[in-house]
Structure formats: structure tokens, C-alpha cells
Amino acid sequence: MKYKSPYIRMRDVSRVYDSLNIGIIITDDSGTIIWGNRYYSQLAQFDIRTYFGRNVREISRREDVSLPTETYIIDTVMRTKQPQTEVVRYRTTDYVLTTAIPILNAGEDIDFVIYSITNYSELMNLQEEASRSSMRALALETHLRTLQLEQKIGEDIIISDKEMFNIYGKALRLADTSVSVMLTGESGTGKDVLARFIHKNSQRKDENFIHVNMATIPKSLFESELFGYAPHSFTGASKHGKIGLIQLANKGTLFLDEIGELPLDIQAKLLQVIQNREVRSIGSLEAVPVDFRIICATNRNLLQMVKDHEFRLDLYYRLNTIELNLPPLRNRPADISPLATLFLNHYNQENRCKKYLSSDVLRLFSLYDWPGNVRELQHTIESLVVLCPSETITADQLPGEFASCAGRSLTSYSELESMTLKDSVELLEKKLIGRALETSPNAAQAAKKLGIDSSTLSKKRKRYGL
């Protein structure tokens, strides 16, 4: 076997340096060029070998080399004995990052100076391409998430509003976790539907989903309904006892609807169950382990209830790990027509009929405030399907509360055709702002509904005298 020396020869060092994608120039202590590699020649577009034995400052004096300052980098290195970096421009219009590093001897004097030259423009192009690739990957990931969410939502949940779609996207991401979720929003906005969506997409989907509506339970029965009771534990109790709703939710999801209706004394006991993960029935000495995911919903301001000493602060933070606020139907008009169609098809099938909604009905639906939200829309469609004698449901068959918005059409073509484009746009803008102010509790909410900031709304109100 032929013996190979562990030391590299100088000519091989040159071969190695020539293979690098970094320009290299080596000078002595006076700045005379000793060696330069092939990549530097490609970068500068002149042969560095023609400068061997010449001073490096001659390169800096070339017309096709542009320096950031009048001081040569090697002079600064000689004076400071510290590495220096600057950006130099060559005839290629590329910017190159040049770093000069002094090599010191034992006496702290300079023996050599090594230049390393990197194509800064090329680096920037690589960074831009990496950024574009990252953006493309992000866009693809977003698209895949959207497709996944649309598939998970299915046909029973209708969402056209962007804000609602984002809320369901968040719900899907947290569904597979064990965190407690608080659903807030006005009554009838679909909090129960969202709670079932979270359960359906969680690891507990094959277990019980226990929906407890606190508003429907008499105060005297809260404890026995939630925690259960042992046989003969109180007068009138069943001899077999009763399993509480919390225990029925074991391994599954416990949905506490209208959590703000829970009395303070029961709140304390519920907090203990959540903390200890065990429940003790009324009249029982033995606690039973329970494992459940808890989702709560309310249309009340729980923080205000905490301030008013109507709700426990410690329980509030236990239940409100993540809050999802569902906007009212009046703030998501894009959902009104699709939801109306969904309910219409459902009640047509249920009642074996084929009713249609006229365009005037859909227009009034879009102008109506829907104080009862999705639930009111559903009940309205049901009553129209059942009571309307004709195949087409017309505006005159709507309930009386719709009469107030019948004259609130934004504008008509006949109103606009005699106006200039500028005046037409201003008229429409004024009516949209006026309607948003009428249907919103405050100016901030009106601005949000219009998709503008509060300062812009303030200026436009002043301009239109609203």
C-alpha cells in the first residue's frame, strides 16, 4: 500500500482555493499581491494573475471598480490591524462583499493580508429566491388548510363570511388539543354548532358530547343534575341514584352552555371537579375520576360578572383558556342568503313542499338586523314555509318586524342614472356609513363593519354630517 503524507502540498492548496465559490487574494505586509484564485477572476472579469507582484491598491484604482470611500481598505487594516469589511462594485454591476483580514506574527506585526470576496448581489438573489420559496410554501400551506377546513365543515355548516371562516379555522386547529374553550357572542349566533364542530374534530369524537344548557335547569336542581346523587340521598331521590351530566361526559366533551347562569356555590364545586378531575355525587363519600374536555358558551360579559362578584375569577381563568367570539348575523351579511337557502331546503324536504324565496325577500333579509341571529333566521324560514300559501314567498308575507327595513334600500338605479360617478359614489358611501351607524352599538363597531379605521369614519361622518 502506497504511503500518503498527512501534509498538503502548496500546489494542492492552490487547487483547493481555486475550487471555492469565494474570491481570495493574498498580499504581503506591504500590499503586494502574492496569489489570487480563479473565482475572483470570474467575479471581477479580469485575470488576477496579471496582478501578481503588483500592489493591491492598483485594483482599487481601476475605472471599473467603485469603492464606497476614498480610503483603501488595506490602509485601514494596516493602521488598525483589525479585519475590515466593505461593499465594492465591479463592472458587472454586481456588489461584492470584501473582507480584508490581517495575519499577525508573534510580534503583532502584519505578515499577510487575506481578502475574501463574496458576490453580495448573488447572496441577495438567493435570499430573495428563498423568500419567494418560503412565500410559495406558506401560500400552499394556507391553501391546504383552507381545503382541509372546507372538507371538515361539510354541507351542514354554511360559512361565506371571512371572519367566521377564520374562527372555524382556529377551532379546527385547537380541536385536537385538550385546552378549555370559551365561546362568546350574542344568543343565536351558533355557539352550540361550533362546540359540536370542535368535538367532532377532536380525539374524543367517538365519545359522548354532553350539552348542558344552564338556562333551562332550575336552580334547585343544578347540583343534582351536574354531579348526580347517591340512592336515597335526599327526600324524593331515586332509590337507584342518578349519574350526573359531568360523569356522563367522561372520556368525551362537556359543553356548558349559558355558563353565566351557574350559581356561585355550584361554581366552587365545578372548579374543584376541574382541578381534581374527580366528581363526588350528592350523598356519596367516594369521588369518581373523570376525564373530559370542557367547552363553555355565554352571551354575557363574564369579566363584568367577576367585577360584580357574580362569577368566580379563578373559575373564569380555568374555563377561558382560549376565547372564540362569534359575530352577530347582521355583521356577516354574506352568510344570510346561503343560510336562508339551507334552511329553506331543509323545511321544504321536511314538509314535502317546494317553496322559493323572492328576490325582494332576500333583499329585506340583507337589510334586517336579525336581533335573534341565525336562530331567528331559521325560525323565520320555517314559519314562511309552513304558512305561505303560494309557491313563491314574497315580501308582503314577511312578519311585521321586516316592515321597518322595507324602505331602507341603499339606492336604486333610477336614483343614480342622472348623477355623475363621483356623486353616485358619495351617495352610496353616505348611505352605507349611515346604515352601519344605525345597526352598530358604537362608532368603533361601525368602523369595523365597514372595514375602515375609526379616524377615517370620524372624518367621513364630519364630511357627510352624520
Side-chain angles (χ1 to χ4, degrees):
M1 181 177 178
K2 187 178 178 181
Y3 174 76
K4 289 187 177 181
S5 170
Y7 302 105
I8 188 168
R9 293 170 297 184
M10 189 59 209
R11 67 185 182 198
D12 292 327
V13 171
S14 297
R15 287 174 53 213
V16 171
Y17 284 169
D18 269 335
S19 68
L20 296 177
N21 284 333
I22 297 175
I24 295 176
I25 296 175
I26 303 175
T27 77
D28 63 12
D29 59 340
S30 66
T32 300
I33 298 175
I34 300 172
W35 187 83
N37 72 344
R38 186 180 298 129
Y39 184 79
Y40 178 81
S41 297
Q42 295 172 357
L43 189 65
Q45 292 193 355
F46 57 78
D47 193 342
I48 186 62
R49 290 176 298 179
T50 62
Y51 281 85
F52 287 1
R54 298 163 63 181
N55 197 284
V56 72
R57 295 174 181 83
E58 292 186 41
I59 294 178
S60 300
R61 288 194 286 267
R62 286 176 61 102
E63 291 182 358
D64 54 3
V65 175
S66 176
L67 301 180
T69 64
E70 294 182 358
T71 304
Y72 299 139
I73 190 172
I74 194 167
D75 292 330
T76 306
V77 171
M78 294 292 186
R79 187 181 74 255
T80 63
K81 297 183 180 180
Q82 296 292 324
Q84 301 294 323
T85 299
E86 63 183 25
V87 177
V88 178
R89 191 173 185 181
Y90 286 78
R91 72 164 73 184
T92 59
T93 71
D94 285 337
Y95 289 92
V96 297
L97 200 64
T98 302
T99 299
I101 303 172
I103 307 299
L104 307 180
N105 56 31
E108 294 296 313
D109 293 322
I110 295 176
D111 279 342
F112 304 98
V113 176
I114 297 181
Y115 286 76
S116 64
I117 301 96
T118 306
N119 191 328
Y120 185 67
S121 297
E122 191 174 286
L123 284 175
M124 291 298 293
N125 291 336
L126 288 173
Q127 287 180 351
E128 288 179 9
E129 180 57 35
S131 177
R132 285 193 292 269
S133 298
S134 178
M135 292 294 289
R136 286 193 291 268
L138 181 61
L140 179 60
E141 181 183 358
T142 302
H143 180 63
L144 290 175
R145 283 184 177 179
T146 301
L147 292 177
Q148 181 188 28
L149 178 57
E150 289 174 347
Q151 184 180 17
K152 295 287 186 181
I153 288 174
E155 297 180 356
D156 296 332
I157 302 175
I158 299 296
I159 301 175
S160 296
D161 180 76
K162 183 178 179 181
E163 185 178 355
M164 279 293 286
F165 198 81
N166 289 337
I167 289 171
Y168 269 80
K170 291 178 183 177
L172 182 62
R173 291 194 292 275
L174 62 85
D176 220 21
T177 69
S178 58
V179 297
S180 301
V181 183
M182 179 70 71
L183 307 180
T184 59
E186 295 179 10
S187 179
T189 50
K191 296 186 287 294
D192 56 333
V193 177
L194 182 55
R196 290 183 184 276
F197 175 81
I198 294 172
H199 171 74
K200 183 180 177 181
N201 291 283
S202 72
Q203 295 179 359
R204 302 172 184 266
K205 61 185 177 182
D206 296 324
E207 305 295 339
N208 286 339
F209 176 86
I210 303 299
H211 183 175
V212 186
N213 192 329
M214 302 295 188
T216 63
I217 302 176
K219 290 188 177 181
S220 59
L221 298 180
F222 264 117
E223 190 170 10
S224 61
E225 288 292 318
L226 286 176
F227 308 109
Y229 57 83
H232 306 293
S233 55
F234 53 85
T235 303
S238 169
K239 64 179 180 179
H240 304 293
K242 181 179 180 180
I243 296 177
L245 294 170
I246 292 176
Q247 197 171 341
L248 286 175
N250 189 39
K251 305 294 184 184
T253 301
L254 179 66
F255 176 43
L256 300 179
D257 202 357
E258 304 296 349
I259 188 67
E261 305 301 323
L262 193 63
L264 277 169
D265 57 330
I266 308 301
Q267 290 178 29
K269 192 166 183 179
L270 175 62
L271 178 63
Q272 188 176 19
V273 170
I274 295 172
Q275 288 176 334
N276 300 334
R277 290 292 167 178
E278 58 182 24
V279 60
R280 182 179 287 107
S281 302
I282 299 173
S284 175
L285 298 176
E286 183 181 353
V288 179
V290 285
D291 171 30
F292 57 88
R293 200 280 183 71
I294 191 165
I295 302 175
C296 296
T298 183
N299 59 3
R300 302 180 65 180
N301 187 335
L302 291 186
L303 276 178
Q304 186 59 50
M305 291 181 67
V306 170
K307 294 177 183 178
D308 296 338
H309 307 291
E310 296 175 353
F311 203 89
R312 293 179 63 104
L313 181 63
D314 46 7
L315 179 61
Y316 172 80
Y317 283 116
R318 277 285 183 175
L319 300 178
N320 197 24
T321 305
I322 293 180
E323 180 177 331
L324 298 177
N325 180 260
L326 278 72
L329 187 58
R330 62 181 172 275
N331 287 355
R332 42 189 175 110
D335 285 345
I336 294 175
S337 183
L339 283 170
T341 303
L342 174 71
F343 297 140
L344 181 69
N345 292 337
H346 171 77
Y347 291 115
N348 270 336
Q349 185 177 3
E350 187 176 278
N351 294 278
R352 298 178 182 179
C353 59
K354 199 169 184 179
K355 303 291 178 69
Y356 299 91
L357 296 173
S358 70
S359 58
D360 284 341
V361 168
L362 291 174
R363 181 180 64 84
L364 291 177
F365 278 1
S366 68
L367 296 173
Y368 184 57
D369 289 340
W370 298 107
N373 293 295
V374 179
R375 189 179 295 121
E376 182 184 4
L377 174 61
Q378 181 178 0
H379 293 167
T380 299
I381 296 293
E382 182 180 19
S383 65
L384 288 171
V385 169
V386 172
L387 297 176
C388 179
S390 58
E391 191 177 73
T392 302
I393 301 170
T394 55
D396 60 309
Q397 294 164 332
L398 292 175
E401 53 265 28
F402 285 85
S404 61
C405 64
R408 284 170 53 194
S409 173
L410 287 175
T411 190
S412 63
Y413 179 73
S414 60
E415 187 179 5
L416 296 175
E417 62 180 350
S418 61
M419 302 171 64
T420 65
L421 177 62
K422 180 175 180 293
D423 292 338
S424 299
V425 171
E426 288 183 351
L427 175 63
L428 185 58
E429 185 176 59
K430 180 179 179 180
K431 289 195 174 187
L432 284 169
I433 293 172
R435 181 184 164 196
L437 291 169
E438 287 177 12
T439 58
S440 303
N442 53 54
Q445 287 296 322
K448 184 178 180 181
K449 185 185 296 186
L450 292 165
I452 59 178
D453 56 51
S454 296
S455 60
T456 301
L457 176 60
S458 178
K459 292 176 184 176
K460 291 184 179 294
R461 288 183 71 181
K462 186 176 180 180
R463 177 182 177 183
Y464 295 127
L466 296 174

